[in-house]
Amino acid sequence: MQRSMTMQCAPGAVLPSRPVTLRLRRVQSARRQRITTKAAVADAKLDERVPKWELVWRFLRQDHDLRSVSAQEAKDLADKGEYVLVDVRPKNLHEQAAMIGSTSAPLFQLVDWGKPSFTKALRAAALMANGVTPVEPNPDFLDDVRAAAGGKGVILACEGGGSTESTPSFQWGKASRSLTAAYRIIKSDAVSPVLHLKGGVYGWYKTFGNDGFTGEYDTGNIGRTPSAANDP
């Protein structure tokens, strides 16, 4: 005789259906993405030279057709000597775990509390309220990029990468520090050509593991940049 299987649960409990579970996952993913986007938006507010994200997206996607490359393609281009891999994360993160062959040119730097100001304190409080480490624009960013490039093209990388791909969930793609850096560099004609590392440093880690780094990559950063792994 074939027995039917029943699932034990507390009286009155209702098991979530698969569609409900999928919706919950989408909501959680969207919430995590908002945190990541807030960091990039907060950065833009700190740096008055960068317009709102929609305009940055149009400039990169529609006006200049910025190309994103995979971690493997970025490595191949760097190995050929055609491009330099530039890490635009804060310098302390680059020092903890640097992609092999990369050079640091931080778009933002940790807040210098040796030069305090009321405005700086307010901005830092707003960033911390969103779970973002307080930073301020690196005034030497473009000079750092020129020095890093050494006359070659650059491939820009931040933690999660962001995206210029327009999707139903994200009409203007996903804001990120590396895309903001691309805007700054192209707009000022500081270096050419400019490419963008798809998936960022997280994508590099997924491709090469810790063998692709000097130092050990902090996998805790993965949870702070969930959008880097999958398209929305």
Side-chain angles (χ1 to χ4, degrees), residues 72-160:
Q72 186 61 62
E73 186 176 358
K75 182 179 183 302
D76 292 342
L77 290 170
D79 287 347
K80 291 177 182 177
E82 299 174 1
Y83 285 82
V84 174
L85 189 60
V86 176
D87 186 349
V88 303
R89 298 177 302 162
K91 197 172 186 64
N92 65 308
L93 295 179
H94 178 80
E95 290 173 346
Q96 290 170 12
M99 296 173 291
I100 291 177
S102 67
T103 301
S104 176
L107 178 65
F108 287 84
Q109 60 190 19
L110 297 179
V111 171
D112 180 5
W113 294 113
K115 300 176 181 178
S117 73
F118 180 70
T119 301
K120 182 184 292 187
L122 286 179
R123 287 173 170 174
L127 288 168
M128 289 187 288
N130 285 312
V132 180
T133 301
V135 293
E136 60 188 0
N138 171 15
D140 300 319
F141 171 66
L142 293 177
D143 288 337
D144 289 348
V145 170
R146 291 187 188 97
K152 300 179 181 179
V154 294
I155 304 172
L156 304 175
C158 63
E159 198 71 62

Side-chain angles (χ1 to χ4, degrees), residues 10-231:
V14 178
L15 293 174
S17 64
R18 191 167 185 273
V20 170
T21 301
L22 290 175
R23 284 198 295 273
L24 286 173
R25 288 177 179 173
R26 292 193 185 102
V27 169
Q28 291 169 347
S29 177
R31 185 179 296 118
R32 289 193 297 267
Q33 172 58 32
R34 283 197 295 272
I35 293 173
T36 303
T37 302
K38 281 181 180 179
V41 171
D43 288 348
K45 289 180 179 179
L46 281 174
D47 192 342
E48 296 177 354
R49 291 164 294 188
V50 178
K52 64 180 183 178
W53 169 245
E54 178 186 337
L55 297 180
V56 172
W57 178 86
R58 290 183 184 280
F59 177 86
L60 296 175
R61 178 73 176 178
Q62 298 180 342
D63 299 343
H64 293 274
D65 194 24
L66 177 69
R67 186 162 73 94
S68 296
V69 296
S70 68
Q72 186 61 62
E73 186 176 358
K75 182 179 183 302
D76 292 342
L77 290 170
D79 287 347
K80 291 177 182 177
E82 299 174 1
Y83 285 82
V84 174
L85 189 60
V86 176
D87 186 349
V88 303
R89 298 177 302 162
K91 197 172 186 64
N92 65 308
L93 295 179
H94 178 80
E95 290 173 346
Q96 290 170 12
M99 296 173 291
I100 291 177
S102 67
T103 301
S104 176
L107 178 65
F108 287 84
Q109 60 190 19
L110 297 179
V111 171
D112 180 5
W113 294 113
K115 300 176 181 178
S117 73
F118 180 70
T119 301
K120 182 184 292 187
L122 286 179
R123 287 173 170 174
L127 288 168
M128 289 187 288
N130 285 312
V132 180
T133 301
V135 293
E136 60 188 0
N138 171 15
D140 300 319
F141 171 66
L142 293 177
D143 288 337
D144 289 348
V145 170
R146 291 187 188 97
K152 300 179 181 179
V154 294
I155 304 172
L156 304 175
C158 63
E159 198 71 62
S163 174
T164 58
E165 294 294 327
S166 179
T167 71
S169 299
F170 299 96
Q171 182 180 2
W172 313 119
K174 301 176 187 177
S176 74
R177 290 176 178 176
S178 54
L179 291 174
T180 301
Y183 171 87
R184 289 277 312 278
I185 294 168
I186 296 172
K187 189 75 173 176
S188 64
D189 198 25
V191 174
S192 181
V194 176
L195 299 178
H196 164 255
L197 181 61
K198 183 177 182 180
V201 179
Y202 173 31
W204 184 275
Y205 172 78
K206 287 197 68 180
T207 301
F208 303 113
N210 273 318
D211 290 340
F213 291 84
T214 56
E216 186 172 351
Y217 180 67
D218 180 5
T219 55
N221 290 338
I222 296 174
R224 294 190 285 274
T225 55
S227 64
N230 303 296
D231 290 333

